[in-house]
């Protein structure tokens, strides 16, 4: 069996120092536990709730930081792309291109990402059924994409709330793509804090456990040394010093369902 | 740690022979696996989709069958009650009284059930949030109930579909009640087959695995030797000969999260 | 064309004096406006959120009050029934028997109501699609019911919220039953106030206007001289002194769509 | 009072001939009825379900057609923009820039649109509550936008279904923006036809009537001479020869609620 994959990092690239610290600690923990680790941070948060929200360092500076982490620390990196123009520079640096959930139906973005030959991590839109993600997979494959991963990150459930429908995991694995569970965005309360999004951090653990048991290929987590001070998505981030215990528990469950 | 509880049986009391066969096989399997077993079957299906649907043998005949299973086979029994008048005779026979999900807010029914002193298994309505089930628990406790179990069986998700919000499991455990996951009603498609309800049997396994990993005290499953011939809820029942393998897997997960 | 029907009154029978006052004022207003009026109040609120909530005077006293209003004021009366035992006494007094939304699938209750020969007002469950209400209509018709009305009162939309899907109105009219829009329960926030249900009174007017324009046969409204002091459902009740203006506006819309 | 606004046209620019025919007939009908008419068609359908779906003539050719309709027929034109690069050329031709629902949170797109000084028509995402659209309005206003319109086009309701929550109309009018009801996208069944989206054309009329009665400033409709042959969104388009009767009815309702 494949080892679990973990995509993790701070939501946004707040500083190179923070990024290196998280990447380094995660690399060490995952090495110890036998988990494949990919560092994730956004160079630009393109759809924050408010104009005043922190967005990140931008494409050029962000890719430079990610490139140095990749080269100097030997950690694979992933980040999200928001328009066709970002794809070429991003593909020069990133190991995996990620399509944000809101953009999962934007044909040109998917085609351009697939055409780079890089693996593409396609997040399921909050407004899309798991069955319908096959249309997204077909767009990527139709454009030559061969390495496609799909991400569950919750579905719209009334207003300002998401629900994780665990049926989505086996459904999307049925498209012959590795399926990743995004444990931290899944506990967001979109717009639930007025001018920003809230989150219910206490559900990261039970939902992660449930997803691993249902059957997945990897996890996605936002990790921060001090979530209450994170410039983005703090309410739904995991403390860096809590992650090893959680991963250890998840590996026990993974072993229980794969052996 | 407590052993897992399993409430299982055919949806309706189709015949005493079938009931004894299922109870006997389940008792043996659960004994072997170290699971606490309670036999469940309904004497009356009071809310079938259509007048022509099979309803069961009725209160008197149904309780007689359940009583013989209990006495002669030494298997504890549970069944659901639908109005206050059924409570007294049911409490003479049953080990646990079950409140159906649609009736979870009917105050008199809850009060009368609690007043028997018997354990009460309160199913969460498809229209109720897990947080709001505390109101039901308070009604039962206010009427003297001390042994209260809560059941997750899916929440309304658009029309003709249910979603299991795994957050409900830790939320309801927070009320200091054992929490049961109803693995088979959770995969129903209510009204999804026109004049009856459909079901997606293929999701029983991943959802059960997920719920055990999230953390529960027991499971509820409709079991039938030949689900396609069941007189009720066939589309969402488990084959009797498939249950031991599923339980074995669930126990491995339960062990992984409780040790 | 038929005149609009209005079922209205205080949520619960708080006192005979209050009931008479509301019935009298509504009768006068509806007479003036050419609306068929039916007085509604519950003798027992059987599914309040908490044990401590006000429930009403009970079956006997409640039916006595309703009977006097009917006889002495010449106002037809409707009330809801919650179990089979209430049907016979209720049918002796009431002009219309109402089945509560949570109980809309309880076969015995529907059959017993239909067998009285009285008109039955069946509320659509918050967990039922409009298409599936045909099953309820078929149960009533199969038991001999001929005068059946259906009520839209909102559908589950995530937790603690309801949404009125206006598609339900033409769908249910397609079953050849008059369709009533329950303008006040539709703006409830179930469980939204912790130990009780909240409500968004400001949406009664736009939703009523929308429903009349979509096409309905009648309206249902909870009316109270002082909603903030109502013992039940105050947050979603209309002030008695505001109702004539609303009805006048609704009649203008009704005329615009029926001529 | 303001006259009603109507944004209408074929979903995609199938041909200049079709566009001119629809624009001409709509202009004539709206002139007769006293409705302000804006022609809408997309030059590119950027988020079709499948790679093989028809997308339109593209930016350059599409803007040329729209420009000729605007100049030669004296009809104002609107179309949707999908990335920042399209904004400048689109703003040279279009009277109103439209932000698609899936992209309603993409900050750069909103900012660039607002900075043109053109009116912006912002569609509410299927995944956004009406209250949260104030964040989008604030982004546009923060970038200098002054003429902002908001569009209701349905909210996610389970999978493959949308529900129109009529509460959204007064909520969004509360942000001091004209509110448009998109009567045809609101009846889509996203992904409901497997490799494409289905639709329930029979609900266009009752939902439009409801929205006008609830209170709106304008309507958006996809119109086609022969919807069954439309290259895009046929299942939820209105026949061109049915539109005058519908608009006449809607005007009667509009008059009933505004006088």
């Amino acid at each position: 069996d494949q080892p679990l994959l973990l995509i993790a990092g701070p939501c946004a690239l707040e500083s190179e120092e923070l990024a290196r610290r998280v990447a380094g600690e995660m690399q060490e923990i995952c090495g110890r536990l036998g988990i494949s680790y990919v560092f994730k941070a956004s160079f630009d948060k393109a759809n924050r709730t408010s104009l005043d929200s922190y967005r990140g360092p931008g494409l050029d500076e962000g890719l430079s930081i990610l490139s140095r982490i990749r080269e100097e620390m030997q950690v694979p990196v992933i980040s999200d792309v928001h328009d066709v123009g970002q794809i070429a520079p991003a593909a020069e640096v990133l190991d995996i291109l990620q399509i944000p959930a809101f953009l999962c139906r934007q044909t040109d973005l998917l085609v351009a990402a697939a055409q780079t030959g890089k693996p593409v991590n396609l997040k399921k839109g909050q407004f899309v059924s798991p069955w319908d993600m096959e249309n997204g997979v077909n767009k990527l494959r139709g454009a030559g994409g061969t390495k496609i991963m799909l991400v569950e990150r919750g579905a719209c459930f009334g207003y300002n709330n998401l629900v994780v429908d665990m049926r989505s995991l086996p459904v999307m694995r049925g498209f012959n793509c590795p399926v990743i569970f995004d444990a931290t965005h899944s506990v967001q309360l979109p717009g639930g804090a007025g001018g920003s999004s809230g989150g219910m951090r206490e559900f990261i653990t039970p939902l992660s456990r449930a997803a691993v048991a249902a059957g997945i290929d990897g996890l996605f987590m936002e990790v921060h040394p001090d979530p209450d001070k994170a410039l983005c998505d703090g309410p739904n981030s995991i403390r860096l010093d809590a992650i090893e215990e959680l991963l250890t528990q998840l590996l026990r469950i993974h072993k229980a369902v794969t052996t």
Side-chain angles (χ1 to χ4, degrees), chain A:
Chain A
D1 261 294
Q2 289 291 103
L4 265 185
L5 174 72
L6 177 64
I7 298 171
C11 171
L13 278 171
E14 301 183 13
S15 72
E16 182 158 354
E17 191 198 346
L18 176 79
R20 282 174 178 271
R21 177 174 164 201
V22 173
E25 293 202 27
M26 290 303 310
Q27 185 180 30
E28 200 185 300
I29 294 167
C30 289
R32 205 152 54 220
L33 298 176
I35 290 172
S36 300
Y37 174 59
V38 179
F39 176 79
K40 189 267 168 182
S42 296
F43 51 79
D44 184 21
K45 306 303 298 178
N47 56 36
R48 296 300 301 268
T49 304
S50 151
L51 273 190
D52 303 326
S53 308
Y54 178 74
R55 288 189 53 163
L59 181 70
D60 294 342
E61 170 64 4
L63 288 176
S64 298
I65 297 174
L66 290 167
S67 172
R68 286 190 292 272
I69 287 175
R70 184 176 191 273
E71 301 300 327
E72 298 172 19
M73 304 181 71
Q74 301 291 318
V75 175
V77 294
I78 182 174
S79 195
D80 32 13
V81 289
H82 313 86
D83 69 54
V84 172
Q86 295 177 337
I87 299 250
E92 276 179 48
V93 170
L94 304 177
D95 294 279
I96 310 176
L97 299 172
Q98 177 166 293
I99 309 289
F102 289 148
L103 304 182
C104 73
R105 283 186 59 135
Q106 303 303 314
T107 306
D108 291 340
L109 192 64
L110 271 67
V111 167
Q115 286 174 343
T116 64
K118 290 273 179 179
V120 176
N121 195 35
L122 177 61
K123 300 190 87 167
K124 177 163 71 64
Q126 299 88 331
F127 46 86
V128 178
S129 87
W131 291 271
D132 292 336
M133 286 305 290
E134 191 166 18
N135 294 316
V137 171
N138 287 340
K139 281 185 188 174
L140 290 167
R141 287 186 177 146
T146 54
K147 292 172 203 142
I148 302 166
M149 302 188 295
L150 294 171
V151 180
E152 167 63 41
R153 50 94 75 241
C156 290
F157 187 57
Y159 295 137
N160 303 312
N161 199 2
L162 297 172
V163 68
V164 178
D165 180 357
M166 295 280 165
R167 294 176 298 184
S168 72
L169 305 172
V171 168
M172 294 197 295
R173 284 181 125 190
F175 308 144
N176 296 310
C177 301
V179 169
I180 309 295
F181 176 62
D182 178 344
T184 48
H185 287 98
S186 291
V187 303
Q188 270 189 330
L189 300 176
S196 66
S197 286
M200 303 180 97
R201 214 181 283 162
E202 67 271 29
F203 295 120
I204 295 172
T205 293
L207 291 183
S208 302
R209 284 161 46 162
V212 170
I216 52 175
D217 303 282
L219 289 140
F220 178 111
M221 291 179 179
E222 293 183 325
V223 181
H224 197 280
D226 188 354
D228 293 333
K229 294 198 180 135
L231 299 180
C232 170
D233 276 3
N236 54 294
S237 291
I238 306 176
R239 287 190 75 83
L240 187 50
D241 61 14
I243 199 135
E244 184 160 7
E245 190 188 330
L246 173 58
L247 291 175
T248 303
Q249 199 176 40
L250 297 180
L251 283 173
R252 274 207 306 274
I253 298 168
H254 189 241
K255 202 174 156 197
V257 295
T258 51
T259 54

